[in-house]
Amino acid sequence: MNIRNYNIYFNTHTISGIIICALLYVIFFAGSFSFFKHEIRAWQHGASYEANKGTEKDFDFLLDSLRQTHDLKGRDITFYMQPNSFYASVNMSVSKDTTVSKPQQAPPEGKGRGRRGSGDSMFFSYDFQQGKASTYAESYDMGEFLYRLHFLAQLNQVPIRVGYPFGYALAGLVSFLFLFALITGLLLHWDKIVSNFFIFRPWSKWKTVWTDMHTALGVIGFPFQFIFALTGIILIVNTVLVMPLSKYLYDGKQEELYQDLGFSDGTTYEYRYKPIDQRFSMKPYLAELEEKWKGSEFSRIFIKNYGDESMHLIVHAKPNSKFNFSGEGKAIYRIHDNTLVYEKDPHTASSYKDKVSSIIYHLHFGDFGGYPVKITFFILGIMGCIVIISGILIWLVARDKKNIPKRKRVFNFWASNIFVAICLTMLPVTALTFIAVKVYPEVNQDFIYSMYFYSWLALSVFYIIRRNLRATNKETLLLGAILGLCIPIVNGIYSGNWIWKTFARGETDILFFDLLWIAIAVVAIIAFVKIQRDGNHQKSGNR
């Protein structure tokens, strides 16, 4: 490779990497845990889905409960089912029937309801296992928090207007820059990619270890990191891609485009003011589809114009990836005469859009091969974190030379010190928050935000002020390991879900999450011992 190309690739790789390193670390770290979002929910609430997934979801009971407090006539009711969970998000619109009284602002009805908008529309979460409704903030858990953190959704509250939620826009920008860093990094090492791949000297100096680790793990993880970056861009900034199509082909009507693509169901039916029996049961319709669509799971259910002759039930389903990697089922029932007016089988009627969107989702979320794929993706995500940290340290060492002006060396050290402190404190802070949500009796969105972000800020500031990169690395590993080992103990004390009990009851989701933290703690301890021994050898060599 000629010098000019090498310098271009090197500078592009270094600059793009150092700009995004801290945010990219947050995305990779939180995203790695997001692969186990449903296991985290089961662990936190002490309710295993795996051991009770045969439990029926009683939609009729929920509708009866709503009928007791609201006139459902003329409303649209939507159920967004969360996969591998007993939870659903429920959205109930204002009635289309003008004869139904619509209060300007209905008062809260206790703990079980959350509201959005004016009038008596409702939006809340519902737990089918416990038959309990709650607001989004009340049902918020660590799985949801880490999942949203991995695309920086919490930063949407920042009052910066860019025509798109700030957190999503920033995550999309980071993904774009990450693609540049990946491609230029590959080109940078292309001539020696084979020889460098086989060079790894874990017992050498830390400078050598970081360099080998950055190169070897970067090459190993390149295909997967490329997939994460590309699919992440598509999932986060799809609005940017949709805008030109909606503008020129749909006269700016994005909702029509999303409906034609199948991403939303804006189907409307003219309200006829002809009431029918409101006490209809969803059970026979869903039972019929369960029998027809074996190996699939309901994803969204819509009730249109409740209680009117124009009432329809629309059911969407996703096939289990074991049987069909792509596809989406859809059925439309006209209720007043019990007629199935439309059916699309999830196993046999996969469109081009279904195949493309399914591949993107499955590859990004790793939900197509059970625990082997989730564990593999988790390890690859953590490898990405290691590549980022090693890249920061290599960047610092390369610029900590006597021929570089002191003011630049001071700036480089402080930049690295801040980045490393912010990144490495995520491990103990995450473990501490998992302990806190088990110990504290009333956990909601505000509690998780306060616990996580304040402890993260305090610990980051402490290590930034301390100005010792080795101590930051070593102590965050030790603290994370100790807190990680405490997680299954706290789970047993406060929930009674000791490892041997969850194993005996077949609660594999809860059991797995405890074992995951034990494995993380063991690896952290091994790394801590390695750093400690290396430090002792350096001290003895300097005597």
Side-chain angles (χ1 to χ4, degrees):
M1 182 185 301
N2 62 61
I3 298 298
R4 182 176 179 274
N5 287 343
Y6 181 88
N7 289 335
I8 291 173
Y9 298 149
F10 179 82
N11 290 329
T12 305
H13 179 74
T14 303
I15 293 171
S16 60
I18 207 68
I19 288 174
I20 64 173
C21 60
L23 287 175
L24 188 62
Y25 186 97
V26 172
I27 290 172
F28 265 96
F29 188 90
S32 298
F33 279 93
S34 296
F35 293 126
F36 308 113
K37 178 183 178 182
H38 308 299
E39 285 78 7
I40 292 172
R41 176 181 286 275
W43 181 90
Q44 181 173 329
H45 296 284
S48 171
Y49 174 79
E50 291 297 326
N52 301 282
K53 56 186 175 184
T55 303
E56 181 182 1
K57 296 176 181 177
D58 196 342
F59 291 89
D60 292 336
F61 177 80
L62 174 55
L63 288 176
D64 286 337
S65 300
L66 291 173
R67 275 193 290 259
Q68 293 175 13
T69 55
H70 294 78
D71 188 348
L72 300 186
K73 185 167 60 175
R75 298 181 187 268
D76 290 345
I77 304 173
T78 305
F79 306 91
Y80 297 98
M81 312 304 300
Q82 298 188 19
N84 301 316
S85 171
F86 293 108
Y87 280 79
S89 298
V90 184
N91 186 17
M92 186 173 71
S93 73
V94 175
S95 176
K96 298 187 182 95
D97 195 318
T98 56
T99 65
V100 175
S101 167
K102 301 180 182 66
Q104 290 299 315
Q105 184 62 53
E109 296 189 359
K111 179 178 178 179
R113 297 289 182 266
R115 299 185 176 280
R116 181 176 64 184
S118 60
D120 58 346
S121 61
M122 296 175 59
F123 180 80
F124 60 93
S125 296
Y126 188 77
D127 182 351
F128 282 97
Q129 188 179 32
Q130 298 183 6
K132 178 184 176 182
S134 57
T135 65
Y136 174 76
E138 291 169 340
S139 63
Y140 202 81
D141 56 39
M142 280 296 291
E144 180 72 6
F145 173 80
L146 291 170
Y147 169 71
R148 295 185 66 78
L149 182 61
H150 107 274
F151 50 85
L152 309 180
Q154 287 82 353
L155 292 181
N156 290 340
Q157 305 303 318
V158 175
I160 297 177
R161 301 290 175 258
V162 292
Y164 197 66
F166 177 71
Y168 299 159
L170 186 59
L173 178 62
V174 169
S175 298
F176 270 118
L177 291 176
F178 181 44
L179 269 182
F180 277 103
L182 281 174
I183 295 171
T184 54
L186 185 67
L187 293 174
L188 190 64
H189 296 287
W190 186 257
D191 290 343
K192 297 182 179 180
I193 194 169
V194 175
S195 59
N196 287 351
F197 180 81
F198 289 101
I199 295 176
F200 187 61
R201 295 156 286 186
W203 311 116
S204 301
K205 296 179 181 179
W206 273 107
K207 178 183 176 181
T208 305
V209 171
W210 289 126
T211 303
D212 291 348
M213 190 179 296
H214 187 78
T215 304
L217 296 184
V219 172
I220 293 171
F222 176 84
F224 303 94
Q225 291 165 10
F226 184 84
I227 289 172
F228 292 153
L230 185 61
T231 56
I233 290 171
I234 296 172
L235 293 171
I236 293 172
V237 296
N238 62 77
T239 301
V240 177
L241 305 176
V242 165
M243 283 177 65
L245 291 174
S246 63
K247 182 177 180 180
Y248 294 107
L249 300 180
Y250 287 79
D251 297 325
K253 299 176 182 178
Q254 289 189 21
E255 189 58 38
E256 291 185 9
L257 174 58
Y258 280 123
Q259 187 172 338
D260 286 348
L261 290 173
F263 295 126
S264 65
D265 198 318
T267 308
T268 58
Y269 300 94
E270 182 182 357
Y271 195 75
R272 299 178 182 176
Y273 289 91
K274 294 181 180 180
I276 60 174
D277 182 13
Q278 290 193 35
R279 295 196 174 271
F280 96 106
S281 172
M282 292 175 61
K283 186 174 182 178
Y285 300 103
L286 299 182
E288 178 183 345
L289 293 177
E290 283 180 347
E291 182 64 26
K292 286 183 177 180
W293 298 345
K294 287 182 178 179
S296 63
E297 189 173 333
F298 299 137
S299 57
R300 293 168 292 165
I301 300 175
F302 304 86
I303 299 176
K304 303 285 186 176
N305 299 346
Y306 189 95
D308 185 68
E309 189 179 74
S310 60
M311 180 178 178
H312 285 73
L313 176 68
I314 305 174
V315 182
H316 291 253
K318 294 283 188 181
N320 190 309
S321 58
K322 294 179 181 179
F323 305 105
N324 190 1
F325 197 72
S326 66
E328 181 177 19
K330 181 178 180 181
I332 303 177
Y333 287 95
R334 189 170 56 232
I335 301 302
H336 82 91
D337 58 359
N338 297 324
T339 302
L340 178 63
V341 297
Y342 176 84
E343 181 180 6
K344 176 186 174 185
D345 193 296
H347 298 295
T348 60
S350 296
S351 65
Y352 175 76
K353 187 276 301 180
D354 292 332
K355 291 182 172 66
V356 172
S357 61
S358 295
I359 288 173
I360 291 170
Y361 276 91
H362 286 316
L363 288 179
H364 192 80
F365 295 108
D367 59 353
F368 57 88
Y371 282 124
V373 171
K374 285 186 176 183
I375 293 170
T376 302
F377 274 37
F378 176 82
I379 294 172
L380 291 168
I382 298 301
M383 280 170 53
C385 295
I386 297 172
V387 170
I388 294 167
I389 291 296
S390 59
I392 295 173
L393 297 176
I394 292 170
W395 178 83
L396 175 62
V397 171
R399 283 154 183 78
D400 188 21
K401 297 177 181 177
K402 292 182 180 180
N403 63 330
I404 295 178
K406 184 177 180 181
R407 58 184 177 82
K408 290 186 177 181
R409 280 186 286 158
V410 171
F411 173 81
N412 294 339
F413 172 78
W414 274 102
S416 301
N417 184 40
I418 292 171
F419 289 158
V420 169
I422 292 173
C423 295
L424 294 184
T425 51
M426 281 194 77
L427 175 62
V429 166
T430 302
L432 178 64
T433 310
F434 273 114
I435 293 173
V437 297
K438 272 295 181 182
V439 173
Y440 197 74
E442 293 293 333
V443 176
N444 54 29
Q445 187 176 14
D446 288 339
F447 174 79
I448 292 176
Y449 272 38
S450 299
M451 185 67 207
Y452 198 96
F453 288 126
Y454 284 136
S455 59
W456 192 8
L457 176 63
L459 209 55
S460 297
V461 169
F462 171 77
Y463 282 111
I464 289 172
I465 295 173
R466 192 170 181 183
R467 297 182 300 170
N468 188 326
L469 296 179
R470 178 179 289 275
T472 303
N473 193 7
K474 183 173 65 174
E475 293 173 10
T476 52
L477 282 171
L478 180 61
L479 184 58
I482 294 171
L483 293 173
L485 289 174
C486 290
I487 286 176
I489 297 174
V490 170
N491 187 32
I493 293 173
Y494 284 87
S495 299
N497 291 325
W498 296 100
I499 288 176
W500 54 89
K501 289 186 177 180
T502 54
F503 175 78
R505 294 194 295 257
E507 297 173 346
T508 53
D509 39 10
I510 299 176
L511 171 65
F512 176 84
F513 193 67
D514 282 334
L515 294 178
L516 175 67
W517 269 107
I518 292 174
I520 292 172
V522 170
V523 173
I525 290 172
I526 294 172
F528 169 80
V529 171
K530 170 69 172 72
I531 296 173
Q532 186 74 14
R533 286 179 178 175
D534 184 69
N536 293 336
H537 290 160
Q538 284 188 1
K539 288 179 182 179
S540 61
N542 293 332
R543 289 176 183 175

